[in-house]
Amino acid sequence: MAMLSNLDLIRRVRLFSMLTAEQAQAVADSVTKRRFKRGELLVEQGVHNNALFILLNGRARVLTADQRGREVIMAVLEAGDYVGEMSLIDGEPPSATVRCEAPCDVLVLGRHEFARCLPEPASMAYGILRGLVSRLRNADRQIESLALLDVYGRVARTLMDMAEDDNGRKIVRGRVSRQDMAKVVGASREMVSRVMKDLEERGQIETLEDGSVVLKHVESRIDDDDASE
């Protein structure tokens, strides 16, 4: 690898295969090479990194974890794969951790250099990119919920995602369809109805006359070890 120039290296990465010669050279002039040891983190969930990481060799796992440290493997990355682009596009922290499972040689491209490769922020293309990133984040969150939370936790998280702020209180406006909720959380309609009733009896939610739901302490259900299906 030491004998190859940065331009040679990025030309081997599919992400940069469509760049013009001028664009490719600009990226090559901006990237730096780093080596990560086995067990080191390329990206940490919830922590801004401000860079794009492109694997030249080695292997890394994309992981998400709950507050008790239970992990779900979302993907395995190998040579040519990259991470960090979602945060560079939408400015939000990473939704997952990326850990090296073997020594990895990586190209690192900073935020400002990456931004020069993107469409103009006011363009439709950039708007589509942000929309796709939002969908990916929602998908990651859904996978995490299905893998790590019981039905109580999944219902609680879905309610929190649906809620809007109303003068300091969280409320889900309009009648909440138990059937639709069941399809989102991967449970039966009957089970969702039972969970919603239990949450209401415990004072964690309140259903208004119009069917809207006020959230009180529903977030505590997400990490409740005693809740079960």
Side-chain angles (χ1 to χ4, degrees), residues 199-215:
L199 292 174
E200 189 154 24
E201 289 176 349
R202 292 170 181 262
Q204 293 173 312
I205 64 173
E206 177 187 357
T207 302
L208 305 181
E209 290 185 2
D210 67 352
S212 298
V213 177
V214 177
L215 311 188

Side-chain angles (χ1 to χ4, degrees), residues 150-188:
D150 59 17
V151 174
Y152 278 85
R154 299 202 296 270
V155 169
R157 175 171 282 183
T158 301
L159 288 171
M160 291 174 63
D161 289 344
M162 295 170 61
E164 59 184 74
D165 186 73
D166 178 38
N167 295 321
R169 67 174 183 172
K170 293 291 186 179
I171 184 170
V172 181
R173 298 195 182 280
R175 191 171 301 278
V176 178
S177 166
R178 304 302 193 261
Q179 185 64 43
D180 289 346
M181 178 76 75
K183 292 177 180 178
V184 171
V185 303
S188 67

Side-chain angles (χ1 to χ4, degrees), residues 9-10 190 221 224:
L9 291 172
I10 68 167
E190 292 74 19
R221 298 303 305 192
D224 188 347

Side-chain angles (χ1 to χ4, degrees), residues 35-55:
R35 167 159 285 201
F36 289 80
K37 299 177 182 177
R38 183 178 186 274
E40 281 194 277
L41 302 183
L42 293 178
V43 173
E44 185 174 359
Q45 186 173 353
V47 179
H48 285 285
N49 55 68
N50 294 317
L52 179 76
F53 300 90
I54 306 130
L55 270 70

Side-chain angles (χ1 to χ4, degrees), residues 102-114:
C104 295
D105 290 306
V106 176
L107 289 179
V108 182
L109 183 66
R111 170 182 292 277
H112 297 299
E113 292 76 16
F114 178 80

Side-chain angles (χ1 to χ4, degrees), residues 211-224:
S212 298
V213 177
V214 177
L215 311 188
K216 297 184 175 180
H217 307 291
V218 69
E219 66 277 0
S220 64
R221 298 303 305 192
I222 294 178
D223 293 306
D224 188 347

